[in-house]
Amino acid sequence: MLAQINQHYIGGAWQASAGSNTLILENPVNGEEYLEIILADERLVDQAVAAAKQAQILWGETSTAQRAEYITKIADELEARREQLIDALSLELGCPKWFVTEVQVDDPIDALRKHVRWTLDLTNTDKHDERLEVLKEPIGVSAIITPWNYPLHQLIAKIAPALAAGCTLVVKPSEYTPKTAIILAQAIEASGLPAGVFNLVVGTGADIGDALTTHPDVRCVSFTGSTKVGVHIQQQAAQSVKRVLLELGGKSAFLIDKTNNLQQAVELGVEDVLVNSGQTCVALTRMLVHESQYQQACEIAKQYAESAAISADLSSDALLGPVINRTQFERVLAYIELGQSEGASLLCGGKSTLAEQTKGFFIGPTIFANVDNSMRIAQEEIFGPVLCLIPYQDTEHAIAIANDTPFGLSARVWADDKSKAKDIAKQIEAGQVYINDAMWHNAAPFGGYKQSGNGRELGSQAINEFLESKSVIF
Ligand code: NAD
């Protein structure tokens, strides 16, 4: 019989949903059904918001030292569940365990611990002069809505600053990664966080999204996900003028200046698009290469992609596994077909032979050459292991292409001259710009320009997003 989950954490207790809507999840490596979720309904949302509202009174009064202590305890409890988290995430995402361990588990726990310092550094009163004090107060009950691609990271990047600010929470994780969210809730329960401060409802956007984002007692909605859903949430929340923090999609550029290290740069760029099977919001899916090095870059990219290991054995050291589900599988394959019909050259990739053998959702590392930036494959987020190589004539042209996108989440600049790289970085419209082979930084404020969003996570700035200012004038 299919395993079932019916666990929602509300007011410090686990509750079952009495709703009739269910969702069946398929194992990404073989397409077999492995879990049925009994989804939360609007009644549970109301209960969760009521619990959060009740808990807000006391939680808002706690000191930053107390909040920092709880954050440390939650990190310790997560650490104690590390193996459980690795198994759950690897199963839910179909992601190799080495990547899950480093990036999906250890990294978010490190990010959580970093919030301890930012919480302790928080000053709740800014005395301007004898006549003016500006108080920082928690905005109140916050709805947290997250996607499935880096589920633990995305939950922590919202929950930690919101708790630090003194807000109580109703969390709705992606319905595709319920096990990860439940383990997090169990860790929070074990930390002793007061009942009602953190509440978890597992449901779909269609079933309970609007109930959360329009609820009169919710003051803030922090959302990570697609731009389409983000726009809908902003419209829903606007009716009651809630604060809405959005972390949305991307179509980020990797601008490679004429370089003596083309091999290293291109390989880094291809790997960036392949890990997590390309389901990374900051993936550098447009590689911009000077026309004099373009042909060579295409050859390096093809060779690297063809040699990248893809496997159904998630304990292996393969670079990638399948994409998360059937919908995503079909969507990415449709984009690969679209790219060819738009006139781009498919150098390698498409449906992997593993997909036939296993019935899993495997898509091979896919490289498109001769891509024009106006093509849909260069403008729309594909969210799969698909890279577009685009030639440019000079630096000005490259920057124009990099910015010619509705998104502005991330970018990377590769230049042998570091000061030139920084100069280019300043001209790119994106929330983060990595220079050469720089790696992810858990203290770097994270968020988008343009249609990639409006909020910032990580760093002390993230806590401010959950605070209100009150001017007291004497
Ligand atoms: P999605 O937008 O489909 O869903 C995200 C979350 O929103 C899920 O929990 C979903 O249940 C919920 N949701 C759906 N409809 C809703 C509604 N009407 N009201 C309220 N909630 C609703 O995104 P996804 O497919 O889960 O994730 C992939 C997307 O997320 C990609 O576009 C990716 O770029 C983006 N993303 C952005 C960032 C970032 O930080 N900028 C990070 C990761 C992923």
Side-chain angles (χ1 to χ4, degrees):
M1 215 183 90
L2 196 58
Q4 253 192 9
I5 284 190
N6 189 358
Q7 277 174 289
H8 311 269
Y9 186 66
I10 297 173
W14 289 94
Q15 293 203 29
S17 167
S20 53
N21 286 356
T22 61
L23 177 73
I24 291 179
L25 299 185
E26 292 173 330
N27 187 333
V29 296
N30 55 25
E32 285 173 12
E33 294 180 349
Y34 72 95
L35 187 68
E36 181 179 26
I37 314 163
I38 315 297
L39 299 162
D41 60 9
E42 292 186 9
R43 281 167 297 183
L44 280 190
V45 170
D46 283 340
Q47 285 177 33
V49 175
K53 188 180 177 189
Q54 171 71 28
Q56 181 63 55
I57 304 161
L58 289 180
W59 182 249
E61 298 283 303
T62 50
S63 67
T64 50
Q66 285 170 307
R67 294 174 203 158
E69 206 172 303
Y70 280 115
I71 289 173
T72 303
K73 281 189 199 156
I74 296 169
D76 293 343
E77 292 296 338
L78 281 175
E79 201 98 51
R81 290 163 178 75
R82 187 168 174 267
E83 293 306 317
Q84 246 179 296
L85 282 165
I86 293 167
D87 288 346
L89 276 153
S90 178
L91 169 67
E92 289 180 330
L93 300 175
C95 188
K97 285 193 174 177
W98 69 266
F99 184 79
V100 167
T101 306
E102 279 174 34
V103 180
Q104 299 268 15
V105 176
D106 290 347
D107 214 48
I109 295 175
D110 173 68
L112 180 57
R113 292 201 189 279
K114 286 204 162 47
H115 283 80
V116 171
R117 164 71 27 223
W118 302 324
T119 308
L120 290 170
D121 286 348
L122 198 65
T123 44
N124 288 326
T125 308
D126 177 14
K127 191 164 180 197
H128 181 75
D129 58 27
E130 287 310 308
R131 290 191 53 229
L132 174 63
E133 272 184 31
V134 182
L135 310 182
K136 294 277 176 63
E137 298 180 347
I139 190 165
V141 176
S142 298
I144 304 290
I145 303 176
T146 53
W148 46 261
N149 57 329
Y150 289 84
L152 185 62
H153 169 83
Q154 286 138 355
L155 287 165
I156 281 176
K158 295 180 183 308
I159 291 169
L163 289 180
C167 294
T168 59
L169 310 172
V170 178
V171 175
K172 195 211 83 58
S174 169
E175 56 274 28
Y176 293 104
T177 51
K179 282 169 162 279
T180 301
I182 287 170
I183 297 169
L184 171 63
Q186 287 164 341
I188 291 177
E189 181 185 25
S191 76
L193 191 76
V197 175
F198 168 93
N199 304 277
L200 177 81
V201 283
V202 180
T204 64
D207 285 344
I208 56 170
D210 289 354
L212 250 183
T213 55
T214 60
H215 199 292
D217 291 329
V218 169
R219 298 284 173 81
C220 171
V221 181
S222 176
F223 170 79
T224 297
S226 60
T227 298
K228 185 169 164 238
V229 173
V231 169
H232 173 79
I233 286 177
Q234 184 140 36
Q235 285 166 344
Q236 293 299 104
Q239 297 166 43
S240 48
V241 199
K242 298 185 198 315
R243 185 175 298 171
V244 179
L245 309 168
L246 300 173
E247 304 287 346
L248 308 175
K251 195 75 193 179
S252 301
F254 181 12
L255 193 163
I256 304 179
D257 191 36
K258 258 194 285 183
T259 173
N260 296 322
N261 300 303
L262 190 67
Q263 180 100 17
Q264 193 192 349
V266 172
E267 289 186 353
L268 177 82
V270 178
E271 184 178 312
D272 176 89
V273 172
L274 298 188
V275 292
N276 216 36
S277 297
Q279 303 163 125
T280 304
C281 54
V282 290
L284 303 160
T285 47
R286 295 180 300 142
M287 184 181 283
L288 315 186
V289 185
H290 188 265
E291 55 191 5
S292 65
Q293 297 192 309
Y294 186 72
Q295 219 36 54
Q296 202 190 343
C298 290
E299 282 155 27
I300 297 169
K302 179 174 187 289
Q303 207 169 43
Y304 189 82
E306 283 177 339
S307 67
I310 174 167
S311 174
D313 175 5
L314 301 182
S315 298
S316 71
D317 60 0
L319 192 57
L320 67 162
V323 295
I324 188 170
N325 57 30
R326 201 173 292 278
T327 311
Q328 196 63 14
F329 180 62
E330 283 163 6
R331 188 170 168 268
V332 175
L333 289 177
Y335 266 111
I336 295 173
E337 256 183 50
L338 172 72
Q340 294 171 85
S341 67
E342 284 184 304
S345 317
L346 182 68
L347 299 187
C348 60
K351 196 190 219 172
S352 160
T353 49
L354 260 183
E356 306 294 341
Q357 291 162 18
T358 61
K359 304 278 178 279
F361 311 131
F362 291 90
I363 296 177
T366 301
I367 308 286
F368 274 115
N370 301 319
V371 178
D372 185 280
N373 197 54
S374 63
M375 291 177 182
R376 281 181 59 196
I377 55 163
Q379 287 292 315
E380 297 173 19
E381 189 177 45
I382 298 174
F383 230 53
V386 182
L387 174 66
C388 295
L389 275 104
I390 304 173
Y392 69 83
Q393 283 129 32
D394 55 33
T395 306
E396 204 181 324
H397 184 214
I399 294 168
I401 298 173
N403 289 335
D404 180 14
T405 163
F407 299 109
L409 192 55
S410 186
R412 184 181 292 274
V413 178
W414 186 287
D416 297 344
D417 172 0
K418 211 169 160 185
S419 68
K420 181 171 184 188
K422 191 172 165 197
D423 182 53
I424 295 172
K426 282 183 173 169
Q427 297 176 68
I428 292 186
E429 298 163 347
Q432 290 200 328
V433 186
Y434 293 79
I435 305 291
N436 294 343
D437 58 355
M439 299 308 283
W440 175 261
H441 197 310
N442 267 333
F446 178 82
Y449 279 35
K450 303 193 280 185
Q451 290 182 32
S452 288
N454 58 15
R456 287 295 177 271
E457 295 179 341
L458 306 176
S460 53
Q461 196 181 337
I463 303 176
N464 272 315
E465 304 273 19
F466 291 93
L467 292 169
E468 285 281 23
S469 286
K470 179 183 282 174
S471 298
V472 182
I473 304 153
F474 296 91

